[in-house]
Amino acid sequence: MAKKKYTVGNYKLKVGKSGTGKGLFALENIPKGSCIIEYIGVVVPEDKLDTINSKYLFEVGKKVTINGNIPENKARYINHSCKPNCEADGPEGHVYISSIKNIKAGEELFYDYGEEYFDEYLSKGRCLCEKCKRAK
């Protein structure tokens, strides 16, 4: 199987007001299958994780995590949804956010954070995304 190549597009994105605080929004149409942005930050070895106070941690390999709580990392504003329009993926050491649906200009970007993140950081495991709020 060939390795997937990640080339970040030069899409116009804006941090703006979201239903959960701040979010990241597309300022132009983004086609399905596009690599939108790389999640960047400071690489934190596993033995230092207990010293970091951040919700912007992204595991990128065995015993290595990125702390994305830096101003240059716009991808940290992408919120969770159980019905996402993006996914996080990448080769070890990197995280790229790609569209899994066509995204229209003005739409907020979302990916699924996974259960482990909820259990650790959010609402005692309760999801507050639009899909789950409507289901109640």
Side-chain angles (χ1 to χ4, degrees):
M1 182 178 196
K3 281 189 173 182
K4 187 174 179 181
K5 189 173 182 180
Y6 295 89
T7 303
V8 177
N10 192 21
Y11 296 104
K12 293 179 183 128
L13 306 169
K14 177 181 117 180
V15 176
K17 188 171 174 21
S18 172
T20 56
K22 290 184 179 180
L24 191 62
F25 295 82
L27 293 178
E28 60 186 304
N29 293 338
I30 300 173
K32 178 181 177 179
S34 299
C35 185
I36 302 168
I37 191 170
E38 183 175 5
Y39 192 99
I40 60 172
V42 178
V43 175
V44 181
E46 184 181 46
D47 62 339
K48 303 287 186 207
L49 278 177
D50 292 338
T51 66
I52 304 295
N53 184 18
S54 176
K55 290 183 180 180
Y56 300 101
L57 301 175
F58 217 120
E59 190 174 312
V60 294
K62 293 180 181 179
K63 302 181 180 186
V64 180
T65 299
I66 292 175
N67 179 4
N69 195 15
I70 61 170
E72 301 83 11
N73 184 24
K74 278 188 182 180
R76 71 185 169 140
Y77 293 105
I78 301 174
N79 286 311
H80 164 81
S81 176
C82 291
K83 190 176 179 183
N85 54 12
C86 297
E87 68 180 358
D89 193 17
E92 190 166 316
H94 297 274
V95 178
Y96 294 98
I97 309 301
S98 299
S99 57
I100 57 172
K101 299 177 180 179
N102 290 323
I103 299 171
K104 294 179 183 171
E107 280 187 51
E108 185 174 359
L109 305 181
F110 296 102
Y111 64 87
D112 187 339
Y113 288 4
E115 286 182 36
E116 186 177 314
Y117 188 88
F118 275 88
D119 294 342
E120 185 81 21
Y121 298 106
L122 298 177
S123 306
K124 298 183 176 131
R126 272 187 336 170
C127 182
L128 300 174
C129 78
E130 286 302 313
K131 177 184 179 227
C132 293
K133 279 199 265 184
R134 282 191 301 249
K136 288 182 179 180

